[in-house]
Amino acid sequence: MRTEQEFLDVLYERLAEMRAEAEVAVRAALPLEGNNFQARLERDVRVAEQTGLLAAFHAGENGLCFGRLAFRDGRDHHIGRVGIRRADADRTPLVVDWRAEVARPFYLATGHTPMGLRRRRHLTTEGRRVTALHDEILDLGDAVRTGHEGTDADAVLLAALDAARTGRMHDIVQTIQADQDRIIRAPHHGVLVVEGGPGTGKTVVALHRAAYLLYAHREQLARRAVLIVGPNPAFLSYIGEVLPALGETGVLLATPGELYPGVTATGTDTARAAEVKGGAAMADALARFVAGRQVLPDTEIVLAHDDGELVLDAELVDGARRRARAAQLPHNLARPHFAFQVIDALTAQLTERLGADPYGGPNLLGPDDVAQLGKAIAASSEVHGAIEELWPSLTPQRLVADFLADPVHLPPADAAAIRREGGEWTPADVPLLDEAAELLGEDDTAARVAAEAERQELIEYAQGVLDLSYGSRTQEFEDRDDEDSEVLAVHDLLDAERLADRHEEADHRSAAERAAADRTWAFGHIIVDEAQELSAMTWRLLMRRCPTRSMTLVGDPAQTAEPGGCGAWETILAPYVDDRWQHVRLGVNYRTPTEIMEIAAEVPRSADPSFEPPRSIRSTGVRPWAHRTDDLAGAAADAVARETRAQARLAVIAPRSRHAALSAALPSADVGAAPDLTSPVVLIDPRQAKGLEFDAVIVVAPEELGASDLYVALTRATQRLGVIHTGALAAGLAAGLEAVSWA
């Protein structure tokens, strides 16, 4: 029987062959001529599959195969991050993809419910070398022993949890638990809410769910893409390698502030301003602001004309405005209707004056005369200037900037909180821009006319090329015998339109890349992490991005920190799906040791005595410590020096107001909006720490943090926790922390 190391050697030989095949397949799939939708779809699927394989081969080569299933009926399957087939005629599986149905017993089988298994093997590898084997016997009647049997079924899981962090999230395909597997493989359609406290693995479960959905619904999601929304750039950097290691690249990762193409939200808002901008009332305020830009003249507008003055009064404009609004189109799309009504009314005004019969008879101007008058009015720059004044063509950026400069339709206190002249866009502005784009619409008539004109020019050029080709060969065809007259020439096989299509610039971008540039893109599935923090206006944006409401929402209402965050799931979902959503909860804490979790739980428990934290499955025996000092920066530097260890990751978590002093005292710490989490020491605030984990954490000035931020900060460590403070700690914290002093 071949050993696992021999199998791994064969696997990597096949891997090299498949890498070469995938590279060829990607190059072959990229060129695409014409606008055949089915061909474009098939190409997208091929590219997604092959580039996914290449990504997996690159990122997941270490640990590509991690398990083996031995069934009672004699079947034997190795399990890995991606499926790998032999090069034989039947393409028989060499390694089964972890998402395949046959792989489910690897995650769900127990001694009580073995699911047809005799044994389950975990392979630990380092590079291309097998370093450890762990066998679980599921059929007690199986007398075969390998010498790798273990009595602790959780040994592999605990080893992974105790391993030093690297600053990047890793996949958990080798240690997915049964409750996690059920969430990962839940049906695609509808809204699934995954709630869990700190350390319950809800983020990594959501990422594996994305990988599973892309595997199970490849054709649909390859062309529509999956959107993953995370709270901040540091978080997206932290999770960025998980899906590529699982062979999936058809995913767009973004923060809420990155969801309006062409806008970089680098500004900052006060907490109060962000709360007001995120409120649902902003949608109505913006709609009323747009309506307010469709104005009536205060006095008559007199327009010069060759045949006498034209007069725009409030009555004429009001009639045109009412009829344009009746079309129920966005502002910019309704503008041509308004312009037509104004021009039509002015034409009638001029016709009545010029064609009036002095004896009271019918108008003396015929239809052709009236049409000529209308064309002249329509061409008048003065008329167009008046229309622009009464119903201006607006961009979302101009509209939102004007609104923020004068935030009418809001209570005075709210208006004062967000009033701003100029400045950089902020993340809270992005949903306002998206709302404005919906209210305004985009009149692309001119662009479509220009594109069609360019296409016709290209067709004419192509026709010229064909004519030249045909003309140069006319004599050759005339000289042929009759039996050669059926030979086809280029003009028999290709017309000018098809030739023009071949010369159009092909779009080689992936679905995710195209989605990032298209505000109206409809994603196949959306995953939102820290979903409880998003504002009502941000939810309006996201729901527009997913009309099918195929979404996975991940979060913990107990950790809501943003003033404008919706918090409760009912508040988020009721306006869109009523009560038609599924809720699941993860209750096991895999990250935070018992010693730390017992202390952290005192923070939410102070407000809610019945609060129960997720159950920690690990204990380190190391008690968290607290140090009181008047020199926070100096004490932090001492603590970092004491805590820094080889191959460990340490986070100093402090209020943003303390970062300048701490950064000066900790020159080795990486700091910024998106710090390098692979650095040995990083300095971050609690909002940046959401979703992250470190070997050790030092919380500075906890008394200056809100309850939610403090709860987040205290639950980021996998091994050791320290607290440095100046004021008195809350009773629950003080009792649990070991007071230390340094000479």
Side-chain angles (χ1 to χ4, degrees), residues 599 622-629 632 635 639 642-643 697-703 714 720-742:
I599 294 170
V622 179
R623 185 179 175 189
W625 55 263
H627 176 68
R628 186 166 184 171
T629 179
L632 288 176
R642 292 168 181 270
E643 284 289 347
V697 168
I698 299 171
V699 180
V700 178
E703 63 272 27
L714 294 172
R720 302 178 304 283
L721 171 68
V723 173
I724 300 175
H725 60 108
T726 57
L729 294 173
L733 286 180
L737 294 167
E738 179 184 3
V740 298
S741 60
W742 302 319

Coordinates of all heavy atoms in Angstrom, one line a residue, residues 599 622-629 632 635 639 642-643 697-703 714 720-742:
I599 N -13.3 37.5 31.6 CA -13.1 38.9 31.9 C -13.8 39.8 30.9 O -14.6 40.7 31.3 CB -11.6 39.2 32.0 CG1 -10.9 38.5 33.1 CG2 -11.4 40.7 32.1 CD1 -9.4 38.5 33.1
V622 N -3.0 31.0 31.5 CA -2.3 32.3 31.7 C -3.4 33.4 32.0 O -4.3 33.6 31.2 CB -1.6 32.8 30.4 CG1 -0.9 34.1 30.6 CG2 -0.6 31.7 30.0
R623 N -3.2 34.0 33.2 CA -4.2 35.0 33.6 C -3.9 36.4 33.0 O -2.7 36.8 33.0 CB -4.2 35.1 35.2 CG -5.2 36.0 35.7 CD -5.2 36.0 37.3 NE -6.1 36.9 37.8 CZ -6.1 37.3 39.1 NH1 -5.2 36.7 40.0 NH2 -7.0 38.2 39.6
P624 N -4.9 37.0 32.5 CA -4.6 38.4 31.9 C -4.2 39.3 33.0 O -4.6 39.2 34.2 CB -6.0 38.8 31.4 CG -6.7 37.5 31.1 CD -6.2 36.6 32.2
W625 N -3.4 40.4 32.7 CA -2.8 41.3 33.7 C -3.3 42.7 33.4 O -3.8 43.0 32.4 CB -1.3 41.2 33.7 CG -0.6 41.4 32.4 CD1 -0.2 40.5 31.5 CD2 -0.3 42.7 31.8 NE1 0.3 41.1 30.4 CE2 0.3 42.4 30.5 CE3 -0.5 44.0 32.2 CZ2 0.7 43.4 29.7 CZ3 -0.1 45.0 31.3 CH2 0.5 44.7 30.1
A626 N -3.2 43.5 34.5 CA -3.5 45.0 34.4 C -2.4 45.7 35.1 O -1.8 45.3 36.1 CB -4.8 45.3 35.0
H627 N -2.0 46.9 34.5 CA -0.9 47.7 35.0 C -1.5 49.2 35.0 O -1.9 49.7 34.0 CB 0.3 47.6 34.2 CG 1.4 48.6 34.6 ND1 2.1 48.4 35.8 CD2 2.0 49.7 34.1 CE1 3.0 49.3 36.0 NE2 2.9 50.1 34.9
R628 N -1.4 49.8 36.2 CA -1.9 51.1 36.4 C -0.7 52.1 36.4 O 0.3 51.8 37.0 CB -2.7 51.3 37.6 CG -3.3 52.7 37.8 CD -4.4 52.7 38.9 NE -5.1 54.0 38.9 CZ -6.1 54.3 39.7 NH1 -6.6 53.3 40.4 NH2 -6.7 55.5 39.7
T629 N -0.8 53.2 35.6 CA 0.3 54.1 35.4 C -0.2 55.5 35.0 O -1.3 55.6 34.5 CB 1.3 53.6 34.4 OG1 2.4 54.5 34.2 CG2 0.6 53.4 33.0
L632 N 1.1 56.3 30.1 CA 0.6 55.2 29.2 C 1.6 54.8 28.2 O 1.8 53.7 27.9 CB -0.7 55.7 28.6 CG -1.9 55.8 29.5 CD1 -3.1 56.3 28.8 CD2 -2.3 54.4 30.1
A635 N 4.6 53.0 29.6 CA 4.3 51.6 30.1 C 4.0 50.7 28.9 O 4.3 49.5 28.9 CB 3.0 51.7 31.0
A639 N 5.7 47.2 28.1 CA 4.9 46.0 27.9 C 5.1 45.3 26.6 O 5.2 44.1 26.5 CB 3.4 46.3 28.1
R642 N 8.3 43.3 26.8 CA 8.1 42.1 27.6 C 7.3 41.1 26.8 O 7.6 39.9 26.9 CB 7.4 42.4 28.9 CG 8.2 43.3 29.8 CD 7.3 43.8 31.0 NE 8.0 44.6 31.9 CZ 8.7 44.1 33.0 NH1 8.6 42.8 33.3 NH2 9.3 45.0 33.8
E643 N 6.4 41.5 25.9 CA 5.5 40.6 25.3 C 6.0 40.1 23.9 O 5.5 39.1 23.4 CB 4.1 41.2 25.1 CG 3.3 41.3 26.3 CD 2.7 39.9 26.8 OE1 2.8 39.0 26.0 OE2 2.3 39.8 27.9
V697 N -2.4 40.7 23.0 CA -3.0 42.1 22.8 C -2.8 42.8 24.1 O -2.9 42.3 25.2 CB -4.6 42.0 22.6 CG1 -5.2 43.3 22.8 CG2 -4.9 41.4 21.2
I698 N -2.4 44.1 23.9 CA -2.3 45.1 25.0 C -3.3 46.2 24.8 O -3.3 46.9 23.8 CB -0.9 45.7 25.1 CG1 0.1 44.6 25.4 CG2 -0.8 46.7 26.2 CD1 1.6 45.0 25.3
V699 N -4.3 46.3 25.7 CA -5.3 47.3 25.6 C -4.9 48.5 26.4 O -4.6 48.4 27.6 CB -6.7 46.8 26.0 CG1 -7.8 47.9 25.9 CG2 -7.1 45.6 25.2
V700 N -4.8 49.7 25.8 CA -4.4 50.9 26.5 C -5.5 51.8 26.7 O -6.3 52.1 25.7 CB -3.3 51.6 25.6 CG1 -2.8 52.9 26.3 CG2 -2.1 50.7 25.4
A701 N -5.6 52.4 27.8 CA -6.7 53.4 28.2 C -8.1 52.8 28.0 O -8.9 53.4 27.3 CB -6.5 54.7 27.5
P702 N -8.4 51.6 28.6 CA -9.7 51.0 28.4 C -10.8 51.9 28.9 O -12.0 51.8 28.4 CB -9.6 49.7 29.1 CG -8.6 49.9 30.2 CD -7.6 50.8 29.5
E703 N -10.5 52.7 29.9 CA -11.6 53.6 30.5 C -12.1 54.7 29.5 O -13.1 55.3 29.8 CB -11.0 54.3 31.8 CG -9.9 55.2 31.6 CD -8.5 54.5 31.7 OE1 -8.4 53.3 31.4 OE2 -7.5 55.2 32.0
L714 N -10.9 43.5 24.0 CA -10.5 42.5 24.9 C -10.6 41.1 24.4 O -10.1 40.1 25.0 CB -11.4 42.6 26.2 CG -11.3 43.8 27.1 CD1 -12.4 43.8 28.1 CD2 -9.9 43.9 27.7
R720 N -2.5 35.7 25.1 CA -2.2 36.6 26.2 C -2.9 38.0 26.1 O -3.0 38.5 25.0 CB -0.7 36.8 26.4 CG 0.0 35.5 26.5 CD 1.5 35.7 26.6 NE 2.1 36.4 25.5 CZ 2.3 35.9 24.3 NH1 2.0 34.6 24.0 NH2 2.9 36.6 23.3
L721 N -3.3 38.5 27.2 CA -4.0 39.8 27.2 C -3.4 40.6 28.4 O -3.3 40.1 29.5 CB -5.5 39.7 27.4 CG -6.3 40.9 27.7 CD1 -6.3 41.8 26.4 CD2 -7.7 40.6 28.1
G722 N -3.1 41.9 28.1 CA -2.7 42.9 29.1 C -3.5 44.2 29.0 O -3.9 44.5 27.9
V723 N -3.7 44.9 30.1 CA -4.4 46.1 30.1 C -3.6 47.2 30.8 O -3.0 46.9 31.9 CB -5.8 46.0 30.8 CG1 -6.4 47.3 31.0 CG2 -6.7 45.0 30.1
I724 N -3.4 48.3 30.2 CA -2.7 49.5 30.8 C -3.6 50.6 30.9 O -4.3 51.0 30.0 CB -1.5 49.9 29.9 CG1 -0.5 48.7 29.8 CG2 -0.8 51.1 30.5 CD1 0.7 49.0 28.8
H725 N -3.8 51.1 32.2 CA -4.8 52.1 32.4 C -4.3 53.2 33.4 O -3.3 53.0 34.1 CB -6.0 51.4 33.0 CG -5.8 50.7 34.3 ND1 -6.3 51.2 35.5 CD2 -5.2 49.6 34.6 CE1 -6.0 50.3 36.4 NE2 -5.3 49.3 35.9
T726 N -5.0 54.3 33.4 CA -4.7 55.4 34.3 C -5.8 55.5 35.4 O -5.5 55.8 36.5 CB -4.5 56.7 33.5 OG1 -5.7 57.0 32.8 CG2 -3.4 56.7 32.6
G727 N -7.0 55.4 35.0 CA -8.1 55.5 35.9 C -8.5 54.2 36.5 O -7.9 53.1 36.2
A728 N -9.5 54.2 37.3 CA -10.0 53.0 37.9 C -10.8 52.2 36.9 O -11.5 52.7 36.0 CB -11.0 53.3 39.1
L729 N -10.6 50.8 37.0 CA -11.3 49.9 36.1 C -12.6 49.6 36.7 O -12.9 49.6 37.9 CB -10.5 48.6 35.9 CG -9.1 48.8 35.2 CD1 -8.4 47.4 35.3 CD2 -9.3 49.2 33.7
A730 N -13.5 49.2 35.8 CA -14.8 48.7 36.2 C -14.6 47.5 37.2 O -13.7 46.7 37.0 CB -15.7 48.3 35.0
A731 N -15.6 47.3 38.1 CA -15.4 46.3 39.1 C -15.2 44.9 38.6 O -14.3 44.2 39.0 CB -16.6 46.3 40.1
G732 N -15.9 44.6 37.5 CA -15.8 43.2 36.9 C -14.5 43.0 36.3 O -13.9 41.9 36.5
L733 N -13.9 44.0 35.7 CA -12.6 43.9 35.1 C -11.5 43.8 36.1 O -10.6 43.0 36.1 CB -12.3 45.1 34.1 CG -13.0 45.1 32.8 CD1 -12.6 46.3 32.0 CD2 -12.7 43.8 32.0
A734 N -11.6 44.7 37.1 CA -10.6 44.8 38.1 C -10.5 43.5 38.9 O -9.4 43.0 39.2 CB -10.9 45.9 39.1
A735 N -11.6 42.8 39.1 CA -11.6 41.5 39.8 C -10.9 40.4 39.1 O -10.3 39.5 39.6 CB -13.0 41.2 40.2
G736 N -11.0 40.4 37.7 CA -10.5 39.3 36.9 C -9.1 39.5 36.5 O -8.4 38.5 36.2
L737 N -8.6 40.7 36.5 CA -7.2 40.9 36.0 C -6.2 40.9 37.1 O -6.5 41.3 38.2 CB -7.1 42.3 35.3 CG -7.9 42.5 34.0 CD1 -8.0 44.0 33.6 CD2 -7.3 41.7 32.9
E738 N -5.1 40.3 36.8 CA -4.0 40.3 37.8 C -3.2 41.6 37.8 O -2.6 41.9 36.8 CB -3.0 39.1 37.5 CG -1.9 39.0 38.4 CD -0.9 37.9 38.0 OE1 -1.1 37.3 37.0 OE2 0.1 37.7 38.8
A739 N -3.2 42.3 38.9 CA -2.5 43.6 39.0 C -1.0 43.4 39.0 O -0.5 42.5 39.8 CB -3.0 44.4 40.2
V740 N -0.3 44.0 38.1 CA 1.1 43.9 38.1 C 1.7 45.3 38.1 O 1.1 46.3 37.7 CB 1.6 43.2 36.8 CG1 1.1 41.8 36.8 CG2 1.2 44.0 35.6
S741 N 2.9 45.4 38.7 CA 3.7 46.6 38.7 C 5.1 46.4 38.2 O 5.6 45.3 38.5 CB 3.6 47.3 40.1 OG 4.2 46.4 41.0
W742 N 5.7 47.3 37.5 CA 7.1 47.1 37.0 C 8.0 48.1 37.7 O 7.7 49.3 37.8 CB 7.1 47.3 35.5 CG 6.2 46.3 34.8 CD1 6.0 45.0 35.1 CD2 5.3 46.6 33.7 NE1 5.0 44.5 34.3 CE2 4.6 45.4 33.4 CE3 5.1 47.8 33.0 CZ2 3.7 45.3 32.3 CZ3 4.1 47.7 31.9 CH2 3.5 46.5 31.6

